Amino acid sequence: EAGVVQSPRYKIIEKKQPVAFWCNPISGHNTLYWYLQNLGQGPELLIRYENEEAVDDSQLPKDRFSAERLKGVDSTLKIQPAELGDSAVYLCASSPGGTSGYEQYFGPGTRLTVT
Amino acid sequence: GNSVTQMEGPVTLSEEAFLTINCTYTATGYPSLFWYVQYPGEGLQLLLKATKADDKGSNKGFEATYRKETTSFHLEKGSVQVSDSAVYFCALSTGNQFYFGTGTSLTVIP
């Protein structure tokens, strides 16, 4: 079974440029999460989807960040415009949910560097 | 609210030493508890879990017991290896909401 796929693995951009990250969760997993992880810290939730619905986006900085999961499968997270402080690792995770359990399975992450 | 507190690192041990990483939690209701491990340059991997009080999760020689009376889920391993060097995260979930600790970095030296 394929794991959570993320691309790109690394991205370097100049500040004020846009950037997008893509995530394909494990097949059949209805719940998808985007996290931000700063160096030496734990993951911080940005947004959680149940199928195509964003059910928790309270921590998403909506002035510059947006996300979508149009068909309830893969998802894209976008930053426009990027700021220096956005440099971090962006993690995607999925879980089956419901009676199958809520443990999360993580992708390898996208390391963003904003210069 | 819900939260997880981990012992701060970094932790450095010699190979074959005993490992304990402390984790305590605050939660409403009956959370599930997890330990995740993150190797350099990789995402988090589920190491073990426990879904109710007195459950013991175990995997790859690591163990943790869900202690409701002390609200703890300490990670232990009897004999660490160099390959165990990584960052370890304690986490709790209430349904599909997760709360992670800040992580504890472990380095095992030969």
Side-chain angles (χ1 to χ4, degrees):
Chain A
E1 178 183 272
V4 176
V5 178
Q6 288 188 250
S7 69
R9 290 295 311 276
Y10 305 91
K11 189 73 176 179
I12 301 173
I13 61 171
E14 294 182 348
K15 63 181 180 182
K16 301 185 182 179
Q17 294 301 306
V19 64
F21 315 125
W22 178 78
C23 171
N24 195 31
I26 292 173
S27 178
H29 282 195
N30 297 324
T31 307
L32 184 147
Y33 307 76
W34 282 103
Y35 289 94
L36 178 152
Q37 185 178 26
N38 287 306
L39 189 65
Q41 299 295 315
E44 299 171 25
L45 181 69
L46 290 171
I47 189 168
R48 172 168 59 94
Y49 282 93
E50 296 291 342
N51 299 303
E52 66 275 9
E53 182 182 359
V55 297
D56 184 355
D57 63 356
S58 58
Q59 301 303 312
L60 188 72
K62 299 181 183 66
D63 57 334
R64 298 184 300 108
F65 286 64
S66 64
E68 60 183 16
R69 193 186 185 198
L70 294 176
K71 298 182 180 179
V73 181
D74 59 340
S75 175
T76 302
L77 177 69
K78 298 178 181 178
I79 308 174
Q80 182 170 12
E83 297 179 352
L84 294 176
D86 296 332
S87 296
V89 175
Y90 292 82
L91 296 168
C92 179
S94 68
S95 69
T99 56
S100 300
Y102 289 102
E103 62 261 31
Q104 298 186 13
Y105 298 84
F106 283 80
T110 297
R111 181 175 297 277
L112 174 67
T113 302
V114 182
T115 63
Chain B
N2 299 320
S3 66
V4 172
T5 302
Q6 285 183 240
M7 67 181 279
E8 293 190 11
V11 174
T12 302
L13 295 173
S14 297
E15 205 165 23
E16 298 185 2
F18 184 85
L19 169 71
T20 300
I21 300 178
N22 290 338
C23 172
T24 57
Y25 67 90
T26 301
T28 54
Y30 302 95
S32 295
L33 300 174
F34 304 83
W35 277 100
Y36 282 82
V37 59
Q38 187 175 32
Y39 299 102
E42 299 184 12
L44 280 69
Q45 300 175 24
L46 178 64
L47 181 59
L48 53 83
K49 68 176 182 180
T51 58
K52 62 182 187 296
D54 299 325
D55 268 2
K56 176 187 284 188
S58 61
N59 186 25
K60 299 180 181 178
F62 291 89
E63 293 183 340
T65 301
Y66 189 141
R67 302 283 189 200
K68 190 169 185 290
E69 64 277 12
T70 55
T71 61
S72 65
F73 193 55
H74 304 322
L75 182 68
E76 296 181 336
K77 186 174 185 181
S79 176
V80 293
Q81 305 301 312
V82 172
S83 58
D84 294 327
S85 298
V87 180
Y88 293 81
F89 293 92
C90 185
L92 72 84
S93 80
T94 54
N96 50 16
Q97 288 187 299
F98 262 69
Y99 304 86
F100 287 89
T102 55
T104 302
S105 175
L106 170 67
T107 300
V108 180
I109 55 177

